[in-house]
Structure formats: C-alpha cells, structure tokens
Amino acid sequence: MSSADELPAGLVNFFIYNIEYGQREGTEEEKVMFYTPTEVPLGKQINAVGLCQAIAQFVNGFDPSHPCECLITLKTKQYFMNPESSFWMVMTLAIPCSEKVSREKKVLEYHPDNVQDNLGKAILKQTYDMFVLFNGPFEAFVDKHGVEALKEQFKLFYYRYLQTINIRQMDILDVFKGIDYLPLEKVDFLRVQCFVNLVENTFSGIHHVCFLHNENVVWTTLQLDDMKILYKYLKSRLFPASNEMEQGLTRSSPVSTARTSPSTNYNPNFLNPGKFLTAPRDLVSSSPYTRLAPRIFVQLNGKVTELYLVIYKAHNSVMCFLMDSQSANADYCTRIHNFVGPQLGNLSNIISEQHSKRILQTNNQYRFVYFNSMNLAIRTSIHKTKLSNQNSNGVSPEIMKLLIDIHKDIELSKNTSCEIATKMMNDCWVVGKRSGFRQFFVVFNQKNWTIVEICEELQRLMNTGFGNILFLE
C-alpha cells in the first residue's frame, strides 16, 4: 500500500505520576497526578502507572545513570521522562500500520520506524518545558499550592496544550529546539544592544529583555534554556494569534482602530507606532491588539522567578519585557510606550532596510539545515519563512524523516567531526555533517553525481554560504 493509506501515528495516552505518593496498599490512585484520555477507568490508569513504574525500576537496575526512555511494543511506542526527582511523565504514541494480503488474508503490518524516537522524546520534553514556563517546576508548585492544586493545574494546562500538538507537522526543528537569530551588520547590532541597555537602565522594573525582528532573535538577556522555550511559544502561539487578530481588525475597519483609555495616555499613532501585544489587565482595554500579559517562570539571579511577559511591537520589531508584579501596571507601561515606541520604530526601519538588502543577496540554491548546539542558532532554507512566504520547497516527508535519522546517527558517533552521505531511492542525496558543536544537513537533487562530487559541492557550499563559520575538519 502507498504511504497515503497508512493510519497516522497519534497520541494513545499521556500521564504523570509521582512515585512517592500512594505507597500504602489501597492508596495507589494517589500516584496518578494526571491521565488522558479521561474516559479510561481509574483501575486501568493505576495499572498503567504501576506497569511503567516497574519497567523504570527494572531498567534502573542495569544502569542508574541511564533511566528508561522508550518502550517499544508491536502497536505502540512509550516514552518516559523523569523531569524532577519523584515525578515521571509518560507518553504513548500509536505506531502507523497498513493492510497487506498474506496467504489470502488481510493482515496489519506495523511500521515502528515511522515513529522516530528522537522526535518522540523531544515532544515529551516540550510538554514539560511549556508547563514549567507558565506554572513553574512541579515540586515548587506543590510546595506553594499543594498536591490537589497541581492536579487541577495539570488538567487546565494539558487538556488544552495536548490538542495543539500535531505530530505529523513536527520535524528536525522540533528535535533541535533552536533559535532563529537575525544576522546584522556590526553597527546595527550595537544599536540594538545599546537600546536594550538603555531600556533596562531606565526602567528598573524590567528584569529581562528580548529583541526580535521579523520574528527572529537579535538580542536577549535570558538564559538559553529559558529563551528556547519562550521562543517556541512566541513563534507557535503568540505571534500567529496576534497576526491573525491584526489582520481581522484591518479587514473589518481600514481606519485606525486604536482607542484611548480615559485612565492612560497609551495610544498607538503615526508619531508613536508602538503597540502592546500583551499588557497588564488594566491596559488591555486600551487597544484591540492587546492581550493579557501571561506570567512566566524564568531564571533570575540564579533562581526560578515569576515575571510578567509584556510584549511591545513597532513595525517589524518586537521587544519582550519581563517585569515584576509591582511594575506590571498601566501607568508604568504607558511610560514604556512613550519612551520606547518612537525609538523602536526608527530602529525597526533601519534594520528592515539593511535586512532587505541581505535577503536580495541571498541565493539558497540548496535546501539545508544548520544548527549550533552552543548558542542554539538554527538556519534553514527548507522550512517556511515569514518573508519568503514559501512552503517547504518540495522536500518530501521521507527526506524530513531521514534528516532526523542522520542526526541520530551523528549523535551516536563518538567523533567530534563526522560526515554521513545517503542516497535515496529517487537518487536524491542527503548529507549530514558534524563539526564540533555544529551540525549541517544538505539535500542535493543532482541525481547523476557521484559521492566525490557531492562532497566537493558540500565543501563549496560551506565556503560560500557559511564562510564566517568555522567547521573543523
């Protein structure tokens, strides 16, 4: 059968349990902190948790430094993660299958390779990271609010969040969890850095600042672990929702829809193009573009701290302000608007002009993915970008899966420098290269080329397109 006839891989169940709870006989249900689907009887939930706990303990007996991560059966793959000392998260994915005729009977043939372990583990890790971003670590939440409150928060968060996971659309970018940085000339980069420093020194209630242009990161004061998950949230949820809202308002009324609140002077206009995408509650009614600023938990002075994420935009540039609760009010944000708006608008125009020239000079002849694990920088010509508004350049799902497989093989290699070249059934070449902390993947459609010619073209591409990046040989 063709791949189109295969049943897609999907989420079978997802649950969280705590091994320290329910240790006495008859209290096993206390271990279950969260379980979906909800229609599964409590007895089966307890059995599933008990089985996973037993499997984890069995594997731990072989090597405590390598806990159980994946259990493969005929029909499912089950992924385990122990994010905090006594908490375990488990996600089960169905293995795609197809019908075939064997001895004049229809039988199901399962394809476990179509559920890639690197991607499954990345999805599970992301479910934890997203919860911690908006609610803080599990144990800290229990210490502050109690066990029952954590169970309720799991329900509020995961029932909605799991609906947003589309396994079919996930690929190697979800494995890397990289950050798309915007390359700038030295002078423009210094302008951004100086402006961020000026804002931080002017407003003491702002503890972290992130500067983005065209949804690409230019500068951030956050730690990389916090920035990568915040960037994922911005790119996948907040920016698309804000763009959709803005387009809807533009279609409904060609005239400016900005309105002024009687209690503030916040008003986006021609002289001050800035506007809040998220803001404190008492400022949300001042603009139809603005949503309520969420609370997030990030590292501040060596400990996890709750801050408000206030997002401000002027033209194509966005600044994320992480503010304490005392500063997250209408008066303080109005001062930020009056100070930041005009300057951010001018800076955005300068960056847009320089970036447009760089785009015209860029010629992505080949489809590639580049990732640097040191700073999480990622570049790709395969995936859709905001400015080019192009789809994935005709890269097939088979190639996208192969990229993850090559990445997995590279990670298993003990060499700091290695290269893997693969020729597919359609004579397309896919090459993966690791050099230190950097990984580079290229898709070549030159069907008649030999591996020597492919290696030579790869070296030429690295010299021309990545000449300012050191690749160790």
Side-chain angles (χ1 to χ4, degrees):
M1 296 184 73
S2 65
S3 59
D5 296 324
E6 294 180 3
L7 300 176
L11 186 66
V12 176
N13 59 42
F14 174 87
F15 53 93
I16 304 170
Y17 65 92
N18 189 306
I19 61 176
E20 293 184 354
Y21 302 155
Q23 295 187 9
R24 292 180 301 172
E25 185 176 356
T27 62
E28 292 82 1
E29 70 276 5
E30 296 178 3
K31 292 182 182 292
V32 185
M33 303 294 294
F34 175 80
Y35 195 103
T36 187
T38 55
E39 58 266 22
V40 175
L42 179 60
K44 290 188 176 181
Q45 295 181 22
I46 295 173
N47 291 339
V49 168
L51 177 61
C52 289
Q53 185 176 355
I55 292 171
Q57 290 177 347
F58 175 75
V59 174
N60 187 66
F62 292 95
D63 187 354
S65 64
H66 290 81
C68 180
E69 294 183 339
C70 181
L71 173 66
I72 305 174
T73 66
L74 176 64
K75 299 181 180 180
T76 64
K77 282 192 176 185
Q78 199 165 45
Y79 297 95
F80 299 73
M81 188 175 70
N82 181 205
E84 300 179 31
S85 60
S86 58
F87 284 93
W88 282 80
M89 304 178 71
V90 180
M91 179 183 68
T92 307
L93 299 180
I95 294 176
C97 62
S98 58
E99 286 187 350
K100 72 173 185 177
V101 178
S102 176
R103 297 180 181 179
E104 299 182 353
K105 292 183 179 180
K106 289 184 177 180
V107 296
L108 292 178
E109 181 180 14
Y110 289 88
H111 311 282
D113 291 340
N114 287 356
V115 181
Q116 296 170 290
D117 294 341
N118 279 15
L119 188 57
K121 288 185 284 187
I123 295 172
L124 184 57
K125 180 66 164 61
Q126 183 176 302
T127 62
Y128 171 75
D129 290 338
M130 278 295 180
F131 182 90
V132 171
L133 178 67
F134 294 104
N135 300 280
F138 296 169
E139 293 179 349
F141 194 100
V142 170
D143 293 340
K144 185 175 181 180
H145 303 287
V147 175
E148 293 303 319
L150 179 60
K151 291 182 178 180
E152 290 301 317
Q153 195 62 29
F154 281 155
K155 294 177 182 178
L156 290 173
F157 181 82
Y158 282 117
Y159 284 152
R160 289 181 295 177
Y161 177 74
L162 293 176
Q163 297 298 320
T164 66
I165 297 178
N166 190 332
I167 299 174
R168 277 181 167 270
Q169 294 183 356
M170 291 185 167
D171 53 37
I172 194 168
L173 293 191
D174 295 282
V175 176
F176 285 144
K177 300 185 184 72
I179 298 172
D180 197 353
Y181 291 96
L182 183 71
L184 293 177
E185 298 294 337
K186 293 180 180 179
V187 174
D188 295 329
F189 181 78
L190 287 175
R191 284 194 179 103
V192 172
Q193 192 174 15
C194 290
F195 182 56
V196 169
N197 292 337
L198 176 63
V199 171
E200 286 187 309
N201 291 329
T202 305
F203 300 95
S204 59
I206 297 177
H207 299 281
H208 282 297
V209 178
C210 308
F211 190 105
L212 299 91
H213 186 84
N214 287 331
E215 300 183 3
N216 298 331
V217 175
V218 178
W219 178 256
T220 179
T221 62
L222 282 170
Q223 293 187 10
L224 284 178
D225 287 341
D226 290 331
M227 187 63 218
K228 70 178 181 181
I229 193 64
L230 175 60
Y231 184 67
K232 176 68 176 180
Y233 165 70
L234 295 175
K235 289 276 288 185
S236 62
R237 300 295 298 277
L238 192 139
F239 287 156
S242 296
N243 293 337
E244 184 177 350
M245 181 186 300
E246 188 171 343
Q247 291 171 3
L249 290 170
T250 303
R251 287 193 298 266
S252 62
S253 176
V255 184
S256 175
T257 55
R259 56 183 184 272
T260 306
S261 170
S263 61
T264 70
N265 295 320
Y266 168 56
N267 183 18
N269 53 51
F270 179 75
L271 296 178
N272 188 346
K275 58 176 179 283
F276 287 101
L277 301 185
T278 66
R281 187 179 300 277
D282 49 359
L283 196 62
V284 170
S285 60
S286 301
S287 170
Y289 304 103
T290 308
R291 306 170 66 184
L292 183 64
R295 299 174 307 164
I296 66 173
F297 292 77
V298 296
Q299 289 285 336
L300 180 64
N301 299 325
K303 63 180 182 178
V304 177
T305 306
E306 178 182 349
L307 299 172
Y308 283 85
L309 176 62
V310 176
I311 302 178
Y312 190 78
K313 180 178 182 181
H315 302 315
N316 293 326
S317 295
V318 169
M319 295 188 75
C320 301
F321 304 122
L322 275 65
M323 307 165 57
D324 55 50
S325 57
Q326 291 78 14
S327 303
N329 56 68
D331 292 337
Y332 202 81
C333 289
T334 300
R335 288 172 50 202
I336 293 175
H337 168 68
N338 294 331
F339 181 83
V340 173
Q343 299 182 72
L344 182 60
N346 294 333
L347 184 57
S348 180
N349 290 332
I350 294 173
I351 297 175
S352 295
E353 181 180 356
Q354 295 298 324
H355 186 54
S356 61
K357 295 178 182 178
R358 180 183 292 269
I359 292 177
L360 293 176
Q361 297 172 356
T362 303
N363 180 20
N364 293 326
Q365 179 182 358
Y366 300 112
R367 290 156 291 178
F368 67 87
V369 176
Y370 164 82
F371 177 67
N372 185 338
S373 60
M374 283 293 289
N375 60 359
L376 302 182
I378 196 160
R379 286 177 58 185
T380 175
S381 64
I382 291 179
H383 300 77
K384 180 179 178 179
T385 61
K386 178 183 177 183
L387 292 181
S388 64
N389 197 29
Q390 295 175 345
N391 291 323
S392 59
N393 295 328
V395 174
S396 66
E398 288 75 17
I399 292 179
M400 300 304 292
K401 292 178 181 177
L402 181 59
L403 291 175
I404 297 179
D405 290 336
I406 294 177
H407 163 67
K408 181 179 179 181
D409 292 338
I410 288 177
E411 289 292 301
L412 292 175
S413 173
K414 297 181 180 179
N415 298 323
T416 58
S417 179
C418 64
E419 187 172 316
I420 299 176
T422 306
K423 191 172 186 180
M424 302 187 66
M425 295 294 291
N426 61 357
D427 292 333
C428 172
W429 285 90
V430 181
V431 182
K433 179 181 179 64
R434 178 169 71 180
S435 176
F437 296 102
R438 301 174 177 88
Q439 294 188 32
F440 188 47
F441 303 85
V442 191
V443 180
F444 296 100
N445 283 321
Q446 283 69 16
K447 298 182 178 181
N448 297 323
W449 281 14
T450 65
I451 190 170
V452 175
E453 293 173 313
I454 289 295
C455 292
E456 291 176 350
E457 185 63 15
L458 175 65
Q459 189 62 46
R460 188 196 67 80
L461 175 62
M462 290 167 54
N463 292 337
T464 56
F466 297 84
N468 59 338
I469 297 175
L470 174 63
F471 285 95
L472 302 175
E473 297 298 335

